[in-house]
Amino acid sequence: MARLLRKSTYLRPSLFGQLQTTGGLLEASSQLCLFSTKGKKKSKADTSDCGEENMSKKDLALKLAMDQITTSFGKGSIMWLGRGTAPKDVPVVSTGSFALDVALGIGGFPKGRVIEIYGPEASGKTTLALHVIAEAQKQGGYCVFVDAEHALDPALAKSIGVNAENLLLSQPDCGEQALSLVDTLIRSGSVDVVVVDSVAALVPKAELDGEMGDAHMAMQARLMSQALRKLSHSLSLSQTILIFTNQVRAKLSTFGGFGGPQEVTCGGNALKFYASVRVNIKRIGLVKKGDETIGSQVLVKIVKNKHAPPFRTAEFELEFGKGICRIAELIDLGCKHKFIMKSGGGMFYIGDHTFKGRETLKKFLSENYTIRSELESKLRQKLMMEHAAEVENEEVAADDATSSSATDEEIVVAAEA
């Protein structure tokens, strides 16, 4: 027994020593793991601090604000203009007139915008709108014609080139109904062109329910203002062209004219502000064949244009029952740019061909598609080169203006020093 007690006293310190060594190893390993995780966290914090240090306080505040806006309102609610993937060139639909497309500067009416076509009676407002519909249908789009005047001629639409089977027609009872269905169609995102003919015929329901002679002050203007506020956002999303035709009224408050406008459009001022392109169309003459009047000469002035310089003009012929005469436009532009030579006695020359009289040349071009398309391509190339030269000159003038302002600032700084 004494021997067993002695052996147990010898074994106790050895066992406790082993346990202490293993405990020390465990503590050391846990401390190493703790240091390693602290080092990783510290390295990540250092890199983020370096990234934030590279950004100024202003940039960091802007980034946080943009992240908050994106989280609250969704992706795309705010973005950088020059860094987006949106195309720089505005998608357009041709107006059906070669001269008007050139005058607009972008090749037609822009998509996703409001267009106003106004002018006196029988000047060609509805005809021009129908040409835009025909051009949009050629691209495979769906179009809507809201006939508030209840005066659309289907035969004229077909002769212009409108596919009547694929044209949606509405003849609303009141202005609220017309603008409500326009809003519904645009929000669907499946319509390319919507034409409202005309603003003057959008009669408010309260006026229809009232008696003759009742005064309804600014009711139509308030209706148009509310409708355009609602439509502007959905137009941009759906890329639909909304065309309003409008009539003009004489302004009596000018007392014979002291520099003020002699005529005003219907529906208040809201349409003037929301429209990206405003076109004034008027008749300046008649087209005659012998003693018979076969059409009218039309002058179009671009009063407002958000995509190109405004106040450009275009002239073309409107043939009764047929619409815009594109061949007459080609002849006029060809003579202007020397692709068609004209001499006395009404003689015209295209290459080796000689024609006596304008009607003979029109007949030849209508029958020869190859020569007509070649003349059109030459004119398009010539006009595009002129447009590019104008843009380059504008950029040079802007650079000169900025450089001159910079030199002025340097002079001021030098004088203060």
Side-chain angles (χ1 to χ4, degrees):
M1 288 295 292
R3 288 179 182 177
L4 290 172
L5 289 171
R6 287 174 186 174
K7 286 182 180 178
S8 62
T9 53
Y10 287 130
L11 287 171
R12 282 177 184 173
S14 62
L15 288 170
F16 283 118
Q18 288 179 0
L19 289 170
Q20 286 176 359
T21 55
T22 53
L25 289 171
L26 289 171
E27 288 177 0
S29 63
S30 63
Q31 286 179 357
L32 287 172
C33 292
L34 183 62
F35 289 150
S36 63
T37 53
K38 284 182 179 179
K40 288 179 181 177
K41 289 179 181 177
K42 189 175 181 182
S43 63
K44 288 181 181 177
D46 290 340
T47 54
S48 62
D49 289 340
C50 293
E52 290 180 359
E53 285 175 2
N54 291 332
M55 297 174 65
S56 65
K57 291 182 179 180
K58 196 173 183 180
D59 294 337
L60 184 60
L62 178 60
K63 185 178 182 302
L64 291 173
M66 289 178 66
D67 292 341
Q68 184 179 356
I69 291 169
T70 304
T71 305
S72 302
F73 303 106
K75 188 178 180 181
S77 55
I78 188 166
M79 66 190 78
W80 295 102
L81 178 61
R83 303 177 193 176
T85 57
K88 294 183 179 179
D89 296 331
V90 181
V92 297
V93 173
S94 174
T95 61
S97 167
F98 192 82
L100 184 54
D101 288 345
V102 173
L104 285 167
I106 54 175
F109 286 151
K111 290 186 176 181
R113 301 301 181 100
V114 179
I115 313 295
E116 183 185 9
I117 304 171
Y118 69 95
E121 72 283 354
S123 56
K125 301 182 292 294
T126 306
T127 304
L128 182 57
L130 289 173
H131 271 284
V132 177
I133 289 176
E135 295 295 328
Q137 286 181 337
K138 289 177 184 177
Q139 298 178 6
Y142 290 104
C143 303
V144 182
F145 193 93
V146 181
D147 186 19
E149 294 181 352
H150 296 255
L152 177 64
D153 184 9
L156 174 63
K158 289 181 181 178
S159 63
I160 286 174
V162 174
N163 185 1
E165 295 178 357
N166 291 330
L167 177 65
L168 291 169
L169 176 66
S170 174
Q171 292 181 330
D173 298 327
C174 60
E176 287 88 351
Q177 180 183 344
L179 295 171
S180 178
L181 67 89
V182 166
D183 185 27
T184 305
L185 288 168
I186 290 173
R187 286 178 186 272
S188 70
S190 58
V191 178
D192 289 40
V193 177
V194 177
V195 176
V196 179
D197 187 25
S198 64
V199 174
L202 296 176
V203 186
K205 193 173 187 302
E207 187 175 342
L208 288 173
D209 294 340
E211 298 292 333
M212 285 290 183
D214 290 348
H216 302 278
M217 293 297 294
M219 192 175 293
Q220 190 183 38
R222 290 198 300 270
L223 176 63
M224 285 296 298
S225 180
Q226 182 185 12
L228 289 167
R229 284 198 302 270
K230 293 182 67 176
L231 290 170
S232 59
H233 176 65
S234 53
L235 273 175
S236 177
L237 294 177
S238 63
Q239 292 292 294
T240 303
I241 301 176
L242 179 57
I243 300 175
F244 287 99
T245 64
N246 208 346
Q247 301 174 8
V248 293
R249 300 284 186 266
K251 190 172 183 180
L252 302 177
S253 61
T254 54
F255 299 104
F258 292 104
Q262 295 293 322
E263 58 185 23
V264 293
T265 53
C266 302
N269 292 326
L271 186 55
K272 297 178 183 178
F273 289 99
Y274 281 96
S276 294
V277 177
R278 297 186 71 224
V279 172
N280 184 11
I281 182 170
K282 60 179 67 176
R283 180 192 293 173
I284 58 172
L286 298 174
V287 179
K288 293 189 176 182
K289 188 176 181 180
D291 295 333
E292 182 185 2
T293 303
I294 61 171
S296 59
Q297 189 75 18
V298 168
L299 173 68
V300 177
K301 184 178 181 180
I302 301 165
V303 179
K304 180 182 178 182
N305 193 351
K306 288 187 176 181
H307 301 279
F311 303 111
R312 292 180 177 177
T313 58
E315 290 187 22
F316 50 84
E317 292 182 7
L318 284 179
E319 293 185 359
F320 297 147
K322 295 181 180 179
I324 297 172
C325 183
R326 197 174 179 86
I327 296 175
E329 283 188 301
L330 294 177
I331 293 173
D332 293 335
L333 290 171
C335 293
K336 181 180 178 181
H337 295 282
K338 307 300 181 183
F339 292 113
I340 298 176
M341 305 305 295
K342 183 180 178 181
S343 63
M347 301 297 293
F348 294 90
Y349 305 94
I350 302 179
D352 299 333
H353 302 280
T354 305
F355 306 96
K356 185 176 181 180
R358 185 184 177 90
E359 294 297 324
T360 309
L361 178 56
K362 286 173 66 175
K363 184 178 180 182
F364 174 78
L365 289 175
S366 62
E367 294 174 354
N368 292 271
Y369 176 77
T370 306
I371 296 176
R372 186 172 77 246
S373 60
E374 184 180 352
L375 176 61
E376 187 172 346
S377 63
K378 287 180 180 179
L379 284 170
R380 194 179 298 276
Q381 185 177 3
K382 175 75 173 177
L383 294 169
M384 285 176 65
M385 290 173 62
E386 289 183 356
H387 179 65
E390 288 180 3
V391 172
E392 187 176 355
N393 291 333
E394 289 175 0
E395 290 177 354
V396 170
D399 292 339
D400 292 341
T402 54
S403 62
S404 63
S405 63
T407 53
D408 292 340
E409 291 176 359
E410 290 173 1
I411 292 168
V412 171
V413 170
E416 289 177 355

